[in-house]
Amino acid sequence: MVYVSRFSNPALRTGNYTAVRISIGTPKWPLGYDITGSINELIPFGLLHGFTQEQFVAKYRERLNRYGVNRIRNALKPFLNIGKPVVLLCYEDVRVEGQTCHRTTFAEWWQEKTGEVIEELPDQSASKWTAIKVKEREPENVQISMFGNGIW
């Protein structure tokens, strides 16, 4: 089984998955798990700057089409042979509304080409972006009651 996720997903610390990098670069913070390797065919080399989202998706899909299903499947095989579900990792938190990344583009492309679904690995952690958006919407003059959730 293959999933996609972000490096910060705490489920990866369980040791139940084979973590595989598909991002440009590796996180500089401690992950709490090992990255087993990378798949260069899925890394968006040269596509991260100077393109709109639509242009990026078109160029990335074009690259995936050039590599093809067989080459990508062969790149996945050594990781699948380890015997644990493989998780293809990059940085973005796609739980935030409107947020996409190349891993979701890859998962969609893969399903179109093979019929095989690659799901996002469940991530139970809180999203820092959701907290920021909520804070931005709070009116400045609202006071929260010390005795419950009511507004004074």
Side-chain angles (χ1 to χ4, degrees):
M1 174 157 270
V2 179
Y3 293 97
V4 290
S5 190
R6 64 191 185 113
F7 288 111
S8 296
N9 187 336
L12 296 164
R13 293 187 210 120
T14 64
N16 296 331
Y17 303 97
T18 299
V20 178
R21 180 176 64 84
I22 64 167
S23 64
I24 297 173
T26 304
K28 305 298 183 223
W29 67 87
L31 295 172
Y33 62 90
D34 292 327
I35 297 174
T36 305
S38 63
I39 298 178
N40 288 341
E41 289 84 351
L42 301 182
I43 297 174
F45 293 115
L47 297 177
L48 295 183
H49 303 289
F51 298 104
T52 65
Q53 179 66 24
E54 293 79 20
Q55 291 170 327
F56 169 84
V57 168
K59 289 184 178 300
Y60 187 64
R61 289 176 67 88
E62 180 182 303
R63 182 179 292 174
L64 294 171
N65 286 329
R66 252 191 342 266
Y67 289 137
V69 169
N70 289 337
R71 180 171 172 174
I72 295 170
R73 193 180 301 278
N74 286 336
L76 277 166
K77 270 184 191 173
F79 302 111
L80 289 166
N81 288 339
I82 292 172
K84 296 189 280 186
V86 172
V87 185
L88 305 174
L89 299 168
C90 67
Y91 294 94
E92 287 76 22
D93 187 349
V94 297
R95 298 173 300 163
V96 176
E97 187 177 333
Q99 179 75 315
T100 62
C101 74
H102 73 289
R103 74 176 185 260
T104 56
T105 300
F106 166 68
E108 291 166 1
W109 177 88
W110 188 259
Q111 184 174 3
E112 289 169 15
K113 300 296 182 184
T114 68
E116 299 168 14
V117 175
I118 297 178
E119 295 180 0
E120 186 75 20
L121 183 67
D123 184 339
Q124 301 303 318
S125 64
S127 170
K128 68 179 181 181
W129 301 113
T130 302
I132 289 169
K133 284 184 178 181
V134 169
K135 186 175 182 178
E136 288 174 354
R137 286 186 294 217
E138 288 179 3
E140 291 179 340
N141 59 353
V142 172
Q143 295 180 355
I144 306 299
S145 170
M146 293 173 27
F147 304 104
N149 293 329
I151 304 297
W152 285 19

